[in-house]
Amino acid sequence: MDLPRPRTTIRSLMVHVLSIALLMGWFVALRSYVGAWEARRVELYRQHDAAMAAGDQMLEIAATAGRTAVARRIGGTGKSRTADWTVWAEAYEDVNGRKPLIRVAAFGRNGRLSSELDPIRIETYGAPLDDAWIEVFQRTCRERGWTYEIVRAAPAASFPPPPP
């Protein structure tokens, strides 16, 4: 018994070609999206490193202002798989931490569905040398073309702040 031979029509051939083209186009778009996200993630890591470097300069900032910082603390969430980072920096004139000189925090984020990095959020908490630290970090941001925003929180705000 002979089986009926399937008939290939122009219409069915066009549907198959269109299906394959759409599938390949989807793969290309996905690869381009993942590549762009990865490039933004690398730039986000550079932002984190720059914020940590600015935190390392706290003693120099205090000395330039004629103050002596005896205690300092730099911390952060680091680089995560989701590409969010937080860096906070504190410097104090006394060991007990009652006289803050610098109390700042910086946040960076790579939005999952956005096409560019979120602006760096710089928060200040009312210490006398916060503006000097911010100026150091702003200079780095301007040199590298990073966007940023400065938020002045109340001096009594909790610290370190939660991530955005």
Side-chain angles (χ1 to χ4, degrees):
M1 174 168 135
D2 290 336
L3 293 175
R5 185 173 178 204
R7 296 187 70 193
T8 304
T9 64
I10 296 290
R11 175 187 267 173
S12 67
L13 186 60
M14 294 289 279
V15 167
H16 290 301
V17 167
L18 180 63
S19 300
I20 291 170
L22 287 174
L23 185 63
M24 290 176 70
W26 182 77
F27 280 130
V28 167
L30 181 64
R31 183 175 178 185
S32 145
Y33 172 77
V34 169
W37 188 88
E38 183 66 21
R40 288 192 315 271
R41 186 176 65 85
V42 168
E43 190 66 17
L44 195 77
Y45 286 176
R46 288 189 187 113
Q47 291 178 352
H48 173 267
D49 294 341
M52 290 297 283
D56 286 336
Q57 294 178 0
M58 282 189 297
L59 297 179
E60 297 169 22
I61 292 169
T64 302
R67 308 285 283 271
T68 303
V70 295
R72 73 179 184 122
R73 180 174 82 110
I74 303 170
T77 58
K79 304 165 191 168
S80 68
R81 187 180 74 79
T82 57
D84 297 324
W85 60 265
T86 302
V87 170
W88 61 88
E90 299 176 285
Y92 295 96
E93 278 189 296
D94 69 344
V95 178
N96 297 326
R98 288 185 294 243
K99 294 182 182 177
L101 290 173
I102 299 172
R103 289 182 72 218
V104 293
F107 308 96
R109 193 160 125 178
N110 188 0
R112 293 175 195 252
L113 298 177
S114 67
S115 62
E116 58 188 37
L117 292 174
D118 291 348
I120 298 171
R121 182 181 172 97
I122 304 169
E123 291 186 2
T124 177
Y125 292 85
L129 299 179
D130 285 355
D131 290 335
W133 184 90
I134 289 172
E135 180 57 37
V136 169
F137 191 56
Q138 278 180 322
R139 196 173 325 125
T140 302
C141 290
R142 284 190 295 260
E143 287 170 0
R144 298 182 183 182
W146 297 332
T147 58
Y148 59 90
E149 61 184 7
I150 299 173
V151 177
R152 302 204 183 271
S158 64
F159 195 78

PDB file of all heavy atoms in Angstrom, residues 31-66:
ATOM      1  N   ARG A  31      20.448  37.776  22.099  1.00  0.00           N
ATOM      2  CA  ARG A  31      21.906  37.855  22.241  1.00  0.00           C
ATOM      3  C   ARG A  31      22.367  39.302  22.345  1.00  0.00           C
ATOM      4  O   ARG A  31      23.247  39.643  23.139  1.00  0.00           O
ATOM      5  CB  ARG A  31      22.570  37.165  21.051  1.00  0.00           C
ATOM      6  CG  ARG A  31      24.050  37.148  21.161  1.00  0.00           C
ATOM      7  CD  ARG A  31      24.674  36.373  20.055  1.00  0.00           C
ATOM      8  NE  ARG A  31      26.123  36.441  20.196  1.00  0.00           N
ATOM      9  CZ  ARG A  31      26.948  35.938  19.343  1.00  0.00           C
ATOM     10  NH1 ARG A  31      26.512  35.302  18.288  1.00  0.00           N
ATOM     11  NH2 ARG A  31      28.230  36.038  19.525  1.00  0.00           N
ATOM     12  N   SER A  32      21.782  40.192  21.567  1.00  0.00           N
ATOM     13  CA  SER A  32      22.135  41.602  21.625  1.00  0.00           C
ATOM     14  C   SER A  32      21.758  42.194  22.974  1.00  0.00           C
ATOM     15  O   SER A  32      22.521  42.970  23.560  1.00  0.00           O
ATOM     16  CB  SER A  32      21.433  42.316  20.486  1.00  0.00           C
ATOM     17  OG  SER A  32      21.037  43.584  20.826  1.00  0.00           O
ATOM     18  N   TYR A  33      20.597  41.835  23.524  1.00  0.00           N
ATOM     19  CA  TYR A  33      20.169  42.343  24.828  1.00  0.00           C
ATOM     20  C   TYR A  33      21.111  41.874  25.927  1.00  0.00           C
ATOM     21  O   TYR A  33      21.543  42.656  26.767  1.00  0.00           O
ATOM     22  CB  TYR A  33      18.740  41.897  25.131  1.00  0.00           C
ATOM     23  CG  TYR A  33      18.326  42.228  26.536  1.00  0.00           C
ATOM     24  CD1 TYR A  33      17.971  43.523  26.883  1.00  0.00           C
ATOM     25  CD2 TYR A  33      18.307  41.256  27.534  1.00  0.00           C
ATOM     26  CE1 TYR A  33      17.618  43.851  28.174  1.00  0.00           C
ATOM     27  CE2 TYR A  33      17.951  41.566  28.823  1.00  0.00           C
ATOM     28  CZ  TYR A  33      17.608  42.859  29.136  1.00  0.00           C
ATOM     29  OH  TYR A  33      17.264  43.168  30.419  1.00  0.00           O
ATOM     30  N   VAL A  34      21.469  40.598  25.919  1.00  0.00           N
ATOM     31  CA  VAL A  34      22.363  40.047  26.942  1.00  0.00           C
ATOM     32  C   VAL A  34      23.744  40.686  26.827  1.00  0.00           C
ATOM     33  O   VAL A  34      24.365  41.025  27.834  1.00  0.00           O
ATOM     34  CB  VAL A  34      22.438  38.510  26.833  1.00  0.00           C
ATOM     35  CG1 VAL A  34      23.543  37.955  27.692  1.00  0.00           C
ATOM     36  CG2 VAL A  34      21.099  37.894  27.216  1.00  0.00           C
ATOM     37  N   GLY A  35      24.234  40.901  25.634  1.00  0.00           N
ATOM     38  CA  GLY A  35      25.537  41.542  25.453  1.00  0.00           C
ATOM     39  C   GLY A  35      25.541  42.966  25.962  1.00  0.00           C
ATOM     40  O   GLY A  35      26.496  43.409  26.603  1.00  0.00           O
ATOM     41  N   ALA A  36      24.464  43.723  25.709  1.00  0.00           N
ATOM     42  CA  ALA A  36      24.383  45.102  26.191  1.00  0.00           C
ATOM     43  C   ALA A  36      24.281  45.125  27.710  1.00  0.00           C
ATOM     44  O   ALA A  36      24.894  45.969  28.366  1.00  0.00           O
ATOM     45  CB  ALA A  36      23.189  45.813  25.562  1.00  0.00           C
ATOM     46  N   TRP A  37      23.526  44.201  28.284  1.00  0.00           N
ATOM     47  CA  TRP A  37      23.402  44.137  29.742  1.00  0.00           C
ATOM     48  C   TRP A  37      24.756  43.826  30.368  1.00  0.00           C
ATOM     49  O   TRP A  37      25.124  44.420  31.375  1.00  0.00           O
ATOM     50  CB  TRP A  37      22.383  43.074  30.145  1.00  0.00           C
ATOM     51  CG  TRP A  37      22.071  43.098  31.599  1.00  0.00           C
ATOM     52  CD1 TRP A  37      21.113  43.847  32.217  1.00  0.00           C
ATOM     53  CD2 TRP A  37      22.724  42.342  32.629  1.00  0.00           C
ATOM     54  NE1 TRP A  37      21.136  43.609  33.559  1.00  0.00           N
ATOM     55  CE2 TRP A  37      22.120  42.686  33.847  1.00  0.00           C
ATOM     56  CE3 TRP A  37      23.759  41.424  32.643  1.00  0.00           C
ATOM     57  CZ2 TRP A  37      22.506  42.140  35.049  1.00  0.00           C
ATOM     58  CZ3 TRP A  37      24.143  40.879  33.847  1.00  0.00           C
ATOM     59  CH2 TRP A  37      23.523  41.231  35.031  1.00  0.00           C
ATOM     60  N   GLU A  38      25.491  42.930  29.761  1.00  0.00           N
ATOM     61  CA  GLU A  38      26.807  42.565  30.281  1.00  0.00           C
ATOM     62  C   GLU A  38      27.765  43.756  30.211  1.00  0.00           C
ATOM     63  O   GLU A  38      28.541  43.999  31.141  1.00  0.00           O
ATOM     64  CB  GLU A  38      27.369  41.378  29.496  1.00  0.00           C
ATOM     65  CG  GLU A  38      28.684  40.873  30.004  1.00  0.00           C
ATOM     66  CD  GLU A  38      28.618  40.259  31.387  1.00  0.00           C
ATOM     67  OE1 GLU A  38      27.535  39.847  31.826  1.00  0.00           O
ATOM     68  OE2 GLU A  38      29.670  40.211  32.048  1.00  0.00           O
ATOM     69  N   ALA A  39      27.719  44.518  29.139  1.00  0.00           N
ATOM     70  CA  ALA A  39      28.581  45.703  29.019  1.00  0.00           C
ATOM     71  C   ALA A  39      28.226  46.733  30.083  1.00  0.00           C
ATOM     72  O   ALA A  39      29.117  47.351  30.681  1.00  0.00           O
ATOM     73  CB  ALA A  39      28.451  46.307  27.621  1.00  0.00           C
ATOM     74  N   ARG A  40      26.930  46.924  30.350  1.00  0.00           N
ATOM     75  CA  ARG A  40      26.514  47.846  31.413  1.00  0.00           C
ATOM     76  C   ARG A  40      26.955  47.338  32.781  1.00  0.00           C
ATOM     77  O   ARG A  40      27.340  48.118  33.647  1.00  0.00           O
ATOM     78  CB  ARG A  40      25.001  48.043  31.386  1.00  0.00           C
ATOM     79  CG  ARG A  40      24.510  48.862  30.227  1.00  0.00           C
ATOM     80  CD  ARG A  40      23.053  49.282  30.376  1.00  0.00           C
ATOM     81  NE  ARG A  40      22.162  48.249  30.812  1.00  0.00           N
ATOM     82  CZ  ARG A  40      21.501  47.398  30.014  1.00  0.00           C
ATOM     83  NH1 ARG A  40      21.664  47.488  28.706  1.00  0.00           N
ATOM     84  NH2 ARG A  40      20.695  46.497  30.495  1.00  0.00           N
ATOM     85  N   ARG A  41      26.926  46.028  32.980  1.00  0.00           N
ATOM     86  CA  ARG A  41      27.333  45.446  34.258  1.00  0.00           C
ATOM     87  C   ARG A  41      28.823  45.720  34.509  1.00  0.00           C
ATOM     88  O   ARG A  41      29.225  46.064  35.615  1.00  0.00           O
ATOM     89  CB  ARG A  41      27.054  43.947  34.301  1.00  0.00           C
ATOM     90  CG  ARG A  41      27.325  43.317  35.652  1.00  0.00           C
ATOM     91  CD  ARG A  41      26.933  41.856  35.650  1.00  0.00           C
ATOM     92  NE  ARG A  41      27.739  41.077  34.738  1.00  0.00           N
ATOM     93  CZ  ARG A  41      28.927  40.553  35.044  1.00  0.00           C
ATOM     94  NH1 ARG A  41      29.439  40.729  36.230  1.00  0.00           N
ATOM     95  NH2 ARG A  41      29.584  39.841  34.166  1.00  0.00           N
ATOM     96  N   VAL A  42      29.637  45.600  33.478  1.00  0.00           N
ATOM     97  CA  VAL A  42      31.068  45.889  33.618  1.00  0.00           C
ATOM     98  C   VAL A  42      31.274  47.359  33.993  1.00  0.00           C
ATOM     99  O   VAL A  42      32.087  47.687  34.861  1.00  0.00           O
ATOM    100  CB  VAL A  42      31.822  45.517  32.314  1.00  0.00           C
ATOM    101  CG1 VAL A  42      33.232  46.066  32.320  1.00  0.00           C
ATOM    102  CG2 VAL A  42      31.818  44.016  32.122  1.00  0.00           C
ATOM    103  N   GLU A  43      30.532  48.254  33.357  1.00  0.00           N
ATOM    104  CA  GLU A  43      30.629  49.680  33.682  1.00  0.00           C
ATOM    105  C   GLU A  43      30.154  49.934  35.118  1.00  0.00           C
ATOM    106  O   GLU A  43      30.720  50.769  35.833  1.00  0.00           O
ATOM    107  CB  GLU A  43      29.802  50.512  32.694  1.00  0.00           C
ATOM    108  CG  GLU A  43      30.030  51.986  32.795  1.00  0.00           C
ATOM    109  CD  GLU A  43      31.441  52.416  32.398  1.00  0.00           C
ATOM    110  OE1 GLU A  43      32.168  51.651  31.740  1.00  0.00           O
ATOM    111  OE2 GLU A  43      31.816  53.535  32.754  1.00  0.00           O
ATOM    112  N   LEU A  44      29.152  49.200  35.554  1.00  0.00           N
ATOM    113  CA  LEU A  44      28.665  49.325  36.925  1.00  0.00           C
ATOM    114  C   LEU A  44      29.748  48.926  37.924  1.00  0.00           C
ATOM    115  O   LEU A  44      29.909  49.550  38.971  1.00  0.00           O
ATOM    116  CB  LEU A  44      27.418  48.469  37.111  1.00  0.00           C
ATOM    117  CG  LEU A  44      26.605  48.753  38.361  1.00  0.00           C
ATOM    118  CD1 LEU A  44      25.797  50.017  38.150  1.00  0.00           C
ATOM    119  CD2 LEU A  44      25.683  47.603  38.661  1.00  0.00           C
ATOM    120  N   TYR A  45      30.514  47.899  37.593  1.00  0.00           N
ATOM    121  CA  TYR A  45      31.621  47.492  38.459  1.00  0.00           C
ATOM    122  C   TYR A  45      32.676  48.599  38.537  1.00  0.00           C
ATOM    123  O   TYR A  45      33.262  48.826  39.590  1.00  0.00           O
ATOM    124  CB  TYR A  45      32.262  46.200  37.947  1.00  0.00           C
ATOM    125  CG  TYR A  45      31.431  44.969  38.183  1.00  0.00           C
ATOM    126  CD1 TYR A  45      31.853  43.750  37.701  1.00  0.00           C
ATOM    127  CD2 TYR A  45      30.223  45.013  38.869  1.00  0.00           C
ATOM    128  CE1 TYR A  45      31.104  42.597  37.911  1.00  0.00           C
ATOM    129  CE2 TYR A  45      29.473  43.883  39.075  1.00  0.00           C
ATOM    130  CZ  TYR A  45      29.907  42.668  38.600  1.00  0.00           C
ATOM    131  OH  TYR A  45      29.177  41.549  38.804  1.00  0.00           O
ATOM    132  N   ARG A  46      32.894  49.309  37.441  1.00  0.00           N
ATOM    133  CA  ARG A  46      33.835  50.433  37.464  1.00  0.00           C
ATOM    134  C   ARG A  46      33.327  51.540  38.389  1.00  0.00           C
ATOM    135  O   ARG A  46      34.102  52.173  39.100  1.00  0.00           O
ATOM    136  CB  ARG A  46      34.049  50.975  36.057  1.00  0.00           C
ATOM    137  CG  ARG A  46      34.860  50.067  35.181  1.00  0.00           C
ATOM    138  CD  ARG A  46      35.229  50.749  33.863  1.00  0.00           C
ATOM    139  NE  ARG A  46      35.871  49.802  32.989  1.00  0.00           N
ATOM    140  CZ  ARG A  46      35.353  49.345  31.857  1.00  0.00           C
ATOM    141  NH1 ARG A  46      34.190  49.795  31.432  1.00  0.00           N
ATOM    142  NH2 ARG A  46      35.989  48.466  31.120  1.00  0.00           N
ATOM    143  N   GLN A  47      32.008  51.770  38.363  1.00  0.00           N
ATOM    144  CA  GLN A  47      31.420  52.759  39.264  1.00  0.00           C
ATOM    145  C   GLN A  47      31.641  52.360  40.721  1.00  0.00           C
ATOM    146  O   GLN A  47      31.999  53.197  41.556  1.00  0.00           O
ATOM    147  CB  GLN A  47      29.924  52.909  38.992  1.00  0.00           C
ATOM    148  CG  GLN A  47      29.588  53.556  37.681  1.00  0.00           C
ATOM    149  CD  GLN A  47      28.093  53.625  37.441  1.00  0.00           C
ATOM    150  OE1 GLN A  47      27.293  53.067  38.190  1.00  0.00           O
ATOM    151  NE2 GLN A  47      27.705  54.302  36.369  1.00  0.00           N
ATOM    152  N   HIS A  48      31.419  51.107  41.035  1.00  0.00           N
ATOM    153  CA  HIS A  48      31.619  50.614  42.402  1.00  0.00           C
ATOM    154  C   HIS A  48      33.064  50.829  42.840  1.00  0.00           C
ATOM    155  O   HIS A  48      33.324  51.320  43.945  1.00  0.00           O
ATOM    156  CB  HIS A  48      31.246  49.136  42.475  1.00  0.00           C
ATOM    157  CG  HIS A  48      31.563  48.503  43.788  1.00  0.00           C
ATOM    158  ND1 HIS A  48      32.745  47.851  44.025  1.00  0.00           N
ATOM    159  CD2 HIS A  48      30.864  48.432  44.936  1.00  0.00           C
ATOM    160  CE1 HIS A  48      32.757  47.412  45.261  1.00  0.00           C
ATOM    161  NE2 HIS A  48      31.622  47.746  45.840  1.00  0.00           N
ATOM    162  N   ASP A  49      34.005  50.464  41.988  1.00  0.00           N
ATOM    163  CA  ASP A  49      35.414  50.621  42.326  1.00  0.00           C
ATOM    164  C   ASP A  49      35.781  52.094  42.535  1.00  0.00           C
ATOM    165  O   ASP A  49      36.571  52.426  43.422  1.00  0.00           O
ATOM    166  CB  ASP A  49      36.301  50.004  41.240  1.00  0.00           C
ATOM    167  CG  ASP A  49      36.145  48.491  41.162  1.00  0.00           C
ATOM    168  OD1 ASP A  49      35.656  47.881  42.135  1.00  0.00           O
ATOM    169  OD2 ASP A  49      36.505  47.917  40.114  1.00  0.00           O
ATOM    170  N   ALA A  50      35.195  52.991  41.734  1.00  0.00           N
ATOM    171  CA  ALA A  50      35.468  54.426  41.887  1.00  0.00           C
ATOM    172  C   ALA A  50      34.905  54.941  43.207  1.00  0.00           C
ATOM    173  O   ALA A  50      35.532  55.769  43.872  1.00  0.00           O
ATOM    174  CB  ALA A  50      34.875  55.207  40.717  1.00  0.00           C
ATOM    175  N   ALA A  51      33.731  54.472  43.599  1.00  0.00           N
ATOM    176  CA  ALA A  51      33.149  54.888  44.881  1.00  0.00           C
ATOM    177  C   ALA A  51      33.993  54.379  46.048  1.00  0.00           C
ATOM    178  O   ALA A  51      34.208  55.100  47.034  1.00  0.00           O
ATOM    179  CB  ALA A  51      31.713  54.382  45.007  1.00  0.00           C
ATOM    180  N   MET A  52      34.498  53.161  45.955  1.00  0.00           N
ATOM    181  CA  MET A  52      35.374  52.635  47.009  1.00  0.00           C
ATOM    182  C   MET A  52      36.681  53.438  47.063  1.00  0.00           C
ATOM    183  O   MET A  52      37.187  53.732  48.145  1.00  0.00           O
ATOM    184  CB  MET A  52      35.675  51.157  46.772  1.00  0.00           C
ATOM    185  CG  MET A  52      34.480  50.243  46.986  1.00  0.00           C
ATOM    186  SD  MET A  52      33.846  50.238  48.662  1.00  0.00           S
ATOM    187  CE  MET A  52      35.062  49.220  49.462  1.00  0.00           C
ATOM    188  N   ALA A  53      37.225  53.818  45.911  1.00  0.00           N
ATOM    189  CA  ALA A  53      38.453  54.612  45.875  1.00  0.00           C
ATOM    190  C   ALA A  53      38.225  55.984  46.504  1.00  0.00           C
ATOM    191  O   ALA A  53      39.089  56.497  47.224  1.00  0.00           O
ATOM    192  CB  ALA A  53      38.959  54.754  44.446  1.00  0.00           C
ATOM    193  N   ALA A  54      37.066  56.587  46.243  1.00  0.00           N
ATOM    194  CA  ALA A  54      36.747  57.875  46.872  1.00  0.00           C
ATOM    195  C   ALA A  54      36.620  57.694  48.379  1.00  0.00           C
ATOM    196  O   ALA A  54      37.018  58.567  49.154  1.00  0.00           O
ATOM    197  CB  ALA A  54      35.463  58.449  46.287  1.00  0.00           C
ATOM    198  N   GLY A  55      36.089  56.565  48.822  1.00  0.00           N
ATOM    199  CA  GLY A  55      36.019  56.284  50.258  1.00  0.00           C
ATOM    200  C   GLY A  55      37.391  56.161  50.877  1.00  0.00           C
ATOM    201  O   GLY A  55      37.616  56.576  52.017  1.00  0.00           O
ATOM    202  N   ASP A  56      38.331  55.616  50.133  1.00  0.00           N
ATOM    203  CA  ASP A  56      39.700  55.486  50.638  1.00  0.00           C
ATOM    204  C   ASP A  56      40.368  56.850  50.834  1.00  0.00           C
ATOM    205  O   ASP A  56      41.336  56.965  51.577  1.00  0.00           O
ATOM    206  CB  ASP A  56      40.551  54.641  49.679  1.00  0.00           C
ATOM    207  CG  ASP A  56      40.200  53.168  49.753  1.00  0.00           C
ATOM    208  OD1 ASP A  56      39.671  52.732  50.794  1.00  0.00           O
ATOM    209  OD2 ASP A  56      40.451  52.457  48.766  1.00  0.00           O
ATOM    210  N   GLN A  57      39.870  57.877  50.181  1.00  0.00           N
ATOM    211  CA  GLN A  57      40.474  59.208  50.265  1.00  0.00           C
ATOM    212  C   GLN A  57      39.937  60.040  51.426  1.00  0.00           C
ATOM    213  O   GLN A  57      40.267  61.215  51.554  1.00  0.00           O
ATOM    214  CB  GLN A  57      40.253  59.960  48.956  1.00  0.00           C
ATOM    215  CG  GLN A  57      40.969  59.349  47.785  1.00  0.00           C
ATOM    216  CD  GLN A  57      40.692  60.096  46.499  1.00  0.00           C
ATOM    217  OE1 GLN A  57      39.965  61.077  46.477  1.00  0.00           O
ATOM    218  NE2 GLN A  57      41.275  59.625  45.413  1.00  0.00           N
ATOM    219  N   MET A  58      39.123  59.439  52.301  1.00  0.00           N
ATOM    220  CA  MET A  58      38.518  60.215  53.386  1.00  0.00           C
ATOM    221  C   MET A  58      39.542  60.877  54.297  1.00  0.00           C
ATOM    222  O   MET A  58      39.369  62.013  54.716  1.00  0.00           O
ATOM    223  CB  MET A  58      37.591  59.328  54.219  1.00  0.00           C
ATOM    224  CG  MET A  58      36.257  59.090  53.574  1.00  0.00           C
ATOM    225  SD  MET A  58      35.117  58.261  54.667  1.00  0.00           S
ATOM    226  CE  MET A  58      35.917  56.702  54.934  1.00  0.00           C
ATOM    227  N   LEU A  59      40.615  60.178  54.638  1.00  0.00           N
ATOM    228  CA  LEU A  59      41.626  60.751  55.536  1.00  0.00           C
ATOM    229  C   LEU A  59      42.309  61.949  54.888  1.00  0.00           C
ATOM    230  O   LEU A  59      42.587  62.946  55.546  1.00  0.00           O
ATOM    231  CB  LEU A  59      42.648  59.688  55.937  1.00  0.00           C
ATOM    232  CG  LEU A  59      42.095  58.497  56.730  1.00  0.00           C
ATOM    233  CD1 LEU A  59      43.205  57.507  57.044  1.00  0.00           C
ATOM    234  CD2 LEU A  59      41.395  58.954  57.988  1.00  0.00           C
ATOM    235  N   GLU A  60      42.565  61.860  53.572  1.00  0.00           N
ATOM    236  CA  GLU A  60      43.172  62.984  52.850  1.00  0.00           C
ATOM    237  C   GLU A  60      42.224  64.181  52.807  1.00  0.00           C
ATOM    238  O   GLU A  60      42.656  65.323  52.945  1.00  0.00           O
ATOM    239  CB  GLU A  60      43.535  62.565  51.430  1.00  0.00           C
ATOM    240  CG  GLU A  60      44.574  61.476  51.338  1.00  0.00           C
ATOM    241  CD  GLU A  60      44.695  60.927  49.926  1.00  0.00           C
ATOM    242  OE1 GLU A  60      44.319  61.622  48.967  1.00  0.00           O
ATOM    243  OE2 GLU A  60      45.170  59.788  49.805  1.00  0.00           O
ATOM    244  N   ILE A  61      40.938  63.912  52.625  1.00  0.00           N
ATOM    245  CA  ILE A  61      39.944  64.991  52.587  1.00  0.00           C
ATOM    246  C   ILE A  61      39.903  65.697  53.932  1.00  0.00           C
ATOM    247  O   ILE A  61      39.880  66.928  54.008  1.00  0.00           O
ATOM    248  CB  ILE A  61      38.560  64.431  52.209  1.00  0.00           C
ATOM    249  CG1 ILE A  61      38.571  63.941  50.753  1.00  0.00           C
ATOM    250  CG2 ILE A  61      37.473  65.473  52.412  1.00  0.00           C
ATOM    251  CD1 ILE A  61      37.357  63.132  50.362  1.00  0.00           C
ATOM    252  N   ALA A  62      39.907  64.932  55.020  1.00  0.00           N
ATOM    253  CA  ALA A  62      39.882  65.525  56.360  1.00  0.00           C
ATOM    254  C   ALA A  62      41.152  66.338  56.608  1.00  0.00           C
ATOM    255  O   ALA A  62      41.098  67.449  57.149  1.00  0.00           O
ATOM    256  CB  ALA A  62      39.719  64.430  57.410  1.00  0.00           C
ATOM    257  N   ALA A  63      42.302  65.816  56.197  1.00  0.00           N
ATOM    258  CA  ALA A  63      43.566  66.522  56.410  1.00  0.00           C
ATOM    259  C   ALA A  63      43.605  67.825  55.606  1.00  0.00           C
ATOM    260  O   ALA A  63      44.094  68.850  56.088  1.00  0.00           O
ATOM    261  CB  ALA A  63      44.742  65.631  56.027  1.00  0.00           C
ATOM    262  N   THR A  64      43.079  67.799  54.394  1.00  0.00           N
ATOM    263  CA  THR A  64      43.034  69.002  53.558  1.00  0.00           C
ATOM    264  C   THR A  64      42.174  70.078  54.215  1.00  0.00           C
ATOM    265  O   THR A  64      42.461  71.268  54.102  1.00  0.00           O
ATOM    266  CB  THR A  64      42.487  68.667  52.157  1.00  0.00           C
ATOM    267  OG1 THR A  64      43.325  67.665  51.576  1.00  0.00           O
ATOM    268  CG2 THR A  64      42.440  69.871  51.263  1.00  0.00           C
ATOM    269  N   ALA A  65      41.127  69.653  54.911  1.00  0.00           N
ATOM    270  CA  ALA A  65      40.228  70.605  55.571  1.00  0.00           C
ATOM    271  C   ALA A  65      40.762  71.022  56.944  1.00  0.00           C
ATOM    272  O   ALA A  65      40.098  71.767  57.660  1.00  0.00           O
ATOM    273  CB  ALA A  65      38.843  69.991  55.722  1.00  0.00           C
ATOM    274  N   GLY A  66      41.936  70.524  57.325  1.00  0.00           N
ATOM    275  CA  GLY A  66      42.517  70.883  58.610  1.00  0.00           C
ATOM    276  C   GLY A  66      41.923  70.115  59.778  1.00  0.00           C
ATOM    277  O   GLY A  66      42.045  70.538  60.922  1.00  0.00           O
TER     278      GLY A  66
END
